[in-house]
Amino acid sequence: MKILYFAWLRTKIGVATETVDLPAEVRDVGALVAWLKTRSPKHADALANSTVVKVAVNQEHVPYDHPVGPGDEVALFPPVTGG
Amino acid sequence: MTVKVQSEDFDVGAELAAMTGGKTGIGGVTLFVGLVRDMAGGESVSAMTLEHYPGMTERQLEAIEAEARERWPLDDALIIHRYGRLEPGDQIVLVATASAHREAAFESCHFLIDWLKTKAPFWKMEATPEGERWVEAKESDDTAAARWTKPA
């Protein structure tokens, strides 16, 4: 699965993208974010407060109970501030 | 109906002329132009860098433009949003809507900028005397967008 990070999530974690092999038990966004936290102390720090970690699956905004699978493009980012 | 995501500046007059040229059924155009301010949260801002999510940005802007077209009788709609490094006074965003009547043009333009602020994947980083900092989302932006939610 391809993971993309934007804005301060990208700078805190230190990479813009990474490709991960998903454990079988990770089937939704909430489980994915929880699993990503275990990858490094930087991940744990960046993802600590899930209220400011928004998620898009295949370029659509989704809630934490949205399903994810190995072929998905998943992006994690803070609340948007354009306009 | 057009969406452009670009680093280059835009010419509001030229965009307006292109939108209305030869289309004499248009009775009014509403334009919103967003600019970089030189102050934020009591601190001076010397520059702003806009990051975005290429691909998703265009998809989200096209989706909200399609939503506006469904809800108001529009002859045309245009969204231009810049990314990259900008300085105070620079143009960030243009939203333009054209309709036979002013209500549809005003309301749809207001809707588009409010929804864009909460749905389009852009993030601003400001350069201040204290260093660079990511802009935090405002609750007031969510409130502004929520007023356009259709009753279930």
Side-chain angles (χ1 to χ4, degrees), chain A residues 14-35:
Chain A
V15 295
T17 67
E18 58 183 338
T19 302
V20 298
D21 289 321
L22 220 53
E25 67 272 18
V26 174
R27 296 197 191 89
D28 67 16
V29 167
L32 174 65
V33 173
W35 179 73

PDB file of all heavy atoms in Angstrom, chain A residues 14-35:
ATOM      1  N   GLY A  14       9.197  12.795   8.274  1.00  0.00           N
ATOM      2  CA  GLY A  14      10.470  12.875   7.564  1.00  0.00           C
ATOM      3  C   GLY A  14      10.460  12.293   6.167  1.00  0.00           C
ATOM      4  O   GLY A  14      11.483  12.317   5.485  1.00  0.00           O
ATOM      5  N   VAL A  15       9.326  11.749   5.725  1.00  0.00           N
ATOM      6  CA  VAL A  15       9.207  11.259   4.338  1.00  0.00           C
ATOM      7  C   VAL A  15       7.853  11.718   3.774  1.00  0.00           C
ATOM      8  O   VAL A  15       6.890  11.910   4.510  1.00  0.00           O
ATOM      9  CB  VAL A  15       9.301   9.717   4.218  1.00  0.00           C
ATOM     10  CG1 VAL A  15      10.672   9.224   4.638  1.00  0.00           C
ATOM     11  CG2 VAL A  15       8.207   9.015   5.019  1.00  0.00           C
ATOM     12  N   ALA A  16       7.815  11.887   2.449  1.00  0.00           N
ATOM     13  CA  ALA A  16       6.573  12.288   1.789  1.00  0.00           C
ATOM     14  C   ALA A  16       5.719  11.075   1.415  1.00  0.00           C
ATOM     15  O   ALA A  16       4.486  11.162   1.393  1.00  0.00           O
ATOM     16  CB  ALA A  16       6.877  13.118   0.543  1.00  0.00           C
ATOM     17  N   THR A  17       6.384   9.969   1.115  1.00  0.00           N
ATOM     18  CA  THR A  17       5.636   8.755   0.755  1.00  0.00           C
ATOM     19  C   THR A  17       6.382   7.539   1.296  1.00  0.00           C
ATOM     20  O   THR A  17       7.603   7.566   1.475  1.00  0.00           O
ATOM     21  CB  THR A  17       5.504   8.561  -0.774  1.00  0.00           C
ATOM     22  OG1 THR A  17       6.793   8.305  -1.321  1.00  0.00           O
ATOM     23  CG2 THR A  17       4.893   9.766  -1.453  1.00  0.00           C
ATOM     24  N   GLU A  18       5.647   6.477   1.546  1.00  0.00           N
ATOM     25  CA  GLU A  18       6.270   5.187   1.836  1.00  0.00           C
ATOM     26  C   GLU A  18       5.338   4.076   1.369  1.00  0.00           C
ATOM     27  O   GLU A  18       4.130   4.271   1.265  1.00  0.00           O
ATOM     28  CB  GLU A  18       6.637   5.040   3.323  1.00  0.00           C
ATOM     29  CG  GLU A  18       5.490   5.192   4.296  1.00  0.00           C
ATOM     30  CD  GLU A  18       5.970   5.096   5.751  1.00  0.00           C
ATOM     31  OE1 GLU A  18       7.041   4.522   6.011  1.00  0.00           O
ATOM     32  OE2 GLU A  18       5.251   5.599   6.631  1.00  0.00           O
ATOM     33  N   THR A  19       5.935   2.953   1.035  1.00  0.00           N
ATOM     34  CA  THR A  19       5.149   1.794   0.622  1.00  0.00           C
ATOM     35  C   THR A  19       5.226   0.769   1.740  1.00  0.00           C
ATOM     36  O   THR A  19       6.317   0.462   2.220  1.00  0.00           O
ATOM     37  CB  THR A  19       5.704   1.212  -0.688  1.00  0.00           C
ATOM     38  OG1 THR A  19       5.681   2.252  -1.666  1.00  0.00           O
ATOM     39  CG2 THR A  19       4.840   0.062  -1.179  1.00  0.00           C
ATOM     40  N   VAL A  20       4.067   0.310   2.196  1.00  0.00           N
ATOM     41  CA  VAL A  20       4.040  -0.606   3.351  1.00  0.00           C
ATOM     42  C   VAL A  20       3.306  -1.895   2.987  1.00  0.00           C
ATOM     43  O   VAL A  20       2.427  -1.902   2.124  1.00  0.00           O
ATOM     44  CB  VAL A  20       3.337   0.052   4.570  1.00  0.00           C
ATOM     45  CG1 VAL A  20       4.085   1.297   5.019  1.00  0.00           C
ATOM     46  CG2 VAL A  20       1.886   0.388   4.277  1.00  0.00           C
ATOM     47  N   ASP A  21       3.726  -2.996   3.637  1.00  0.00           N
ATOM     48  CA  ASP A  21       3.000  -4.261   3.517  1.00  0.00           C
ATOM     49  C   ASP A  21       2.049  -4.345   4.689  1.00  0.00           C
ATOM     50  O   ASP A  21       2.467  -4.427   5.846  1.00  0.00           O
ATOM     51  CB  ASP A  21       3.982  -5.444   3.541  1.00  0.00           C
ATOM     52  CG  ASP A  21       4.790  -5.508   2.253  1.00  0.00           C
ATOM     53  OD1 ASP A  21       4.208  -5.253   1.176  1.00  0.00           O
ATOM     54  OD2 ASP A  21       6.005  -5.785   2.337  1.00  0.00           O
ATOM     55  N   LEU A  22       0.772  -4.341   4.367  1.00  0.00           N
ATOM     56  CA  LEU A  22      -0.255  -4.248   5.390  1.00  0.00           C
ATOM     57  C   LEU A  22      -0.465  -5.596   6.103  1.00  0.00           C
ATOM     58  O   LEU A  22      -0.656  -6.606   5.448  1.00  0.00           O
ATOM     59  CB  LEU A  22      -1.557  -3.870   4.677  1.00  0.00           C
ATOM     60  CG  LEU A  22      -2.485  -2.865   5.324  1.00  0.00           C
ATOM     61  CD1 LEU A  22      -1.755  -1.599   5.690  1.00  0.00           C
ATOM     62  CD2 LEU A  22      -3.622  -2.576   4.355  1.00  0.00           C
ATOM     63  N   PRO A  23      -0.447  -5.611   7.451  1.00  0.00           N
ATOM     64  CA  PRO A  23      -0.831  -6.852   8.148  1.00  0.00           C
ATOM     65  C   PRO A  23      -2.301  -7.172   7.844  1.00  0.00           C
ATOM     66  O   PRO A  23      -3.096  -6.253   7.644  1.00  0.00           O
ATOM     67  CB  PRO A  23      -0.657  -6.506   9.628  1.00  0.00           C
ATOM     68  CG  PRO A  23       0.085  -5.228   9.677  1.00  0.00           C
ATOM     69  CD  PRO A  23      -0.132  -4.531   8.379  1.00  0.00           C
ATOM     70  N   ALA A  24      -2.636  -8.437   7.831  1.00  0.00           N
ATOM     71  CA  ALA A  24      -3.989  -8.867   7.430  1.00  0.00           C
ATOM     72  C   ALA A  24      -5.068  -8.262   8.319  1.00  0.00           C
ATOM     73  O   ALA A  24      -6.188  -8.025   7.861  1.00  0.00           O
ATOM     74  CB  ALA A  24      -4.076 -10.387   7.450  1.00  0.00           C
ATOM     75  N   GLU A  25      -4.721  -7.994   9.614  1.00  0.00           N
ATOM     76  CA  GLU A  25      -5.756  -7.512  10.530  1.00  0.00           C
ATOM     77  C   GLU A  25      -6.085  -6.023  10.330  1.00  0.00           C
ATOM     78  O   GLU A  25      -7.049  -5.521  10.910  1.00  0.00           O
ATOM     79  CB  GLU A  25      -5.364  -7.787  11.994  1.00  0.00           C
ATOM     80  CG  GLU A  25      -4.167  -7.019  12.512  1.00  0.00           C
ATOM     81  CD  GLU A  25      -2.838  -7.730  12.263  1.00  0.00           C
ATOM     82  OE1 GLU A  25      -2.791  -8.632  11.403  1.00  0.00           O
ATOM     83  OE2 GLU A  25      -1.837  -7.375  12.931  1.00  0.00           O
ATOM     84  N   VAL A  26      -5.301  -5.327   9.509  1.00  0.00           N
ATOM     85  CA  VAL A  26      -5.573  -3.902   9.261  1.00  0.00           C
ATOM     86  C   VAL A  26      -6.544  -3.779   8.088  1.00  0.00           C
ATOM     87  O   VAL A  26      -6.180  -3.960   6.931  1.00  0.00           O
ATOM     88  CB  VAL A  26      -4.260  -3.129   8.970  1.00  0.00           C
ATOM     89  CG1 VAL A  26      -4.577  -1.689   8.566  1.00  0.00           C
ATOM     90  CG2 VAL A  26      -3.355  -3.145  10.191  1.00  0.00           C
ATOM     91  N   ARG A  27      -7.796  -3.479   8.438  1.00  0.00           N
ATOM     92  CA  ARG A  27      -8.821  -3.466   7.389  1.00  0.00           C
ATOM     93  C   ARG A  27      -9.540  -2.130   7.248  1.00  0.00           C
ATOM     94  O   ARG A  27     -10.317  -1.958   6.330  1.00  0.00           O
ATOM     95  CB  ARG A  27      -9.874  -4.554   7.664  1.00  0.00           C
ATOM     96  CG  ARG A  27      -9.321  -5.950   7.610  1.00  0.00           C
ATOM     97  CD  ARG A  27     -10.417  -6.988   7.466  1.00  0.00           C
ATOM     98  NE  ARG A  27      -9.886  -8.323   7.675  1.00  0.00           N
ATOM     99  CZ  ARG A  27      -9.811  -8.939   8.841  1.00  0.00           C
ATOM    100  NH1 ARG A  27     -10.268  -8.336   9.927  1.00  0.00           N
ATOM    101  NH2 ARG A  27      -9.296 -10.157   8.944  1.00  0.00           N
ATOM    102  N   ASP A  28      -9.299  -1.193   8.187  1.00  0.00           N
ATOM    103  CA  ASP A  28      -9.918   0.130   8.004  1.00  0.00           C
ATOM    104  C   ASP A  28      -8.918   1.237   8.377  1.00  0.00           C
ATOM    105  O   ASP A  28      -7.808   0.960   8.847  1.00  0.00           O
ATOM    106  CB  ASP A  28     -11.245   0.253   8.763  1.00  0.00           C
ATOM    107  CG  ASP A  28     -11.090   0.231  10.272  1.00  0.00           C
ATOM    108  OD1 ASP A  28      -9.964   0.430  10.775  1.00  0.00           O
ATOM    109  OD2 ASP A  28     -12.105   0.015  10.967  1.00  0.00           O
ATOM    110  N   VAL A  29      -9.333   2.469   8.121  1.00  0.00           N
ATOM    111  CA  VAL A  29      -8.454   3.621   8.304  1.00  0.00           C
ATOM    112  C   VAL A  29      -7.981   3.727   9.754  1.00  0.00           C
ATOM    113  O   VAL A  29      -6.794   3.955  10.016  1.00  0.00           O
ATOM    114  CB  VAL A  29      -9.182   4.921   7.872  1.00  0.00           C
ATOM    115  CG1 VAL A  29      -8.429   6.162   8.342  1.00  0.00           C
ATOM    116  CG2 VAL A  29      -9.365   4.953   6.354  1.00  0.00           C
ATOM    117  N   GLY A  30      -8.898   3.536  10.698  1.00  0.00           N
ATOM    118  CA  GLY A  30      -8.536   3.641  12.113  1.00  0.00           C
ATOM    119  C   GLY A  30      -7.443   2.653  12.489  1.00  0.00           C
ATOM    120  O   GLY A  30      -6.465   3.010  13.160  1.00  0.00           O
ATOM    121  N   ALA A  31      -7.577   1.412  12.027  1.00  0.00           N
ATOM    122  CA  ALA A  31      -6.569   0.370  12.312  1.00  0.00           C
ATOM    123  C   ALA A  31      -5.255   0.702  11.612  1.00  0.00           C
ATOM    124  O   ALA A  31      -4.167   0.457  12.151  1.00  0.00           O
ATOM    125  CB  ALA A  31      -7.087  -0.991  11.866  1.00  0.00           C
ATOM    126  N   LEU A  32      -5.354   1.284  10.415  1.00  0.00           N
ATOM    127  CA  LEU A  32      -4.137   1.651   9.668  1.00  0.00           C
ATOM    128  C   LEU A  32      -3.358   2.731  10.417  1.00  0.00           C
ATOM    129  O   LEU A  32      -2.134   2.623  10.590  1.00  0.00           O
ATOM    130  CB  LEU A  32      -4.509   2.142   8.267  1.00  0.00           C
ATOM    131  CG  LEU A  32      -3.344   2.696   7.444  1.00  0.00           C
ATOM    132  CD1 LEU A  32      -2.321   1.609   7.137  1.00  0.00           C
ATOM    133  CD2 LEU A  32      -3.842   3.328   6.147  1.00  0.00           C
ATOM    134  N   VAL A  33      -4.060   3.776  10.879  1.00  0.00           N
ATOM    135  CA  VAL A  33      -3.382   4.861  11.602  1.00  0.00           C
ATOM    136  C   VAL A  33      -2.744   4.306  12.880  1.00  0.00           C
ATOM    137  O   VAL A  33      -1.593   4.628  13.204  1.00  0.00           O
ATOM    138  CB  VAL A  33      -4.360   6.022  11.914  1.00  0.00           C
ATOM    139  CG1 VAL A  33      -3.698   7.067  12.812  1.00  0.00           C
ATOM    140  CG2 VAL A  33      -4.842   6.680  10.613  1.00  0.00           C
ATOM    141  N   ALA A  34      -3.470   3.440  13.590  1.00  0.00           N
ATOM    142  CA  ALA A  34      -2.923   2.839  14.814  1.00  0.00           C
ATOM    143  C   ALA A  34      -1.664   2.022  14.506  1.00  0.00           C
ATOM    144  O   ALA A  34      -0.672   2.071  15.241  1.00  0.00           O
ATOM    145  CB  ALA A  34      -3.984   1.966  15.479  1.00  0.00           C
ATOM    146  N   TRP A  35      -1.692   1.276  13.394  1.00  0.00           N
ATOM    147  CA  TRP A  35      -0.540   0.453  13.011  1.00  0.00           C
ATOM    148  C   TRP A  35       0.642   1.325  12.568  1.00  0.00           C
ATOM    149  O   TRP A  35       1.793   1.043  12.911  1.00  0.00           O
ATOM    150  CB  TRP A  35      -0.951  -0.524  11.902  1.00  0.00           C
ATOM    151  CG  TRP A  35       0.177  -1.380  11.431  1.00  0.00           C
ATOM    152  CD1 TRP A  35       0.760  -2.416  12.088  1.00  0.00           C
ATOM    153  CD2 TRP A  35       0.892  -1.225  10.191  1.00  0.00           C
ATOM    154  NE1 TRP A  35       1.790  -2.926  11.340  1.00  0.00           N
ATOM    155  CE2 TRP A  35       1.891  -2.220  10.168  1.00  0.00           C
ATOM    156  CE3 TRP A  35       0.775  -0.366   9.099  1.00  0.00           C
ATOM    157  CZ2 TRP A  35       2.772  -2.372   9.100  1.00  0.00           C
ATOM    158  CZ3 TRP A  35       1.657  -0.508   8.031  1.00  0.00           C
ATOM    159  CH2 TRP A  35       2.640  -1.506   8.040  1.00  0.00           C
TER     160      TRP A  35
END
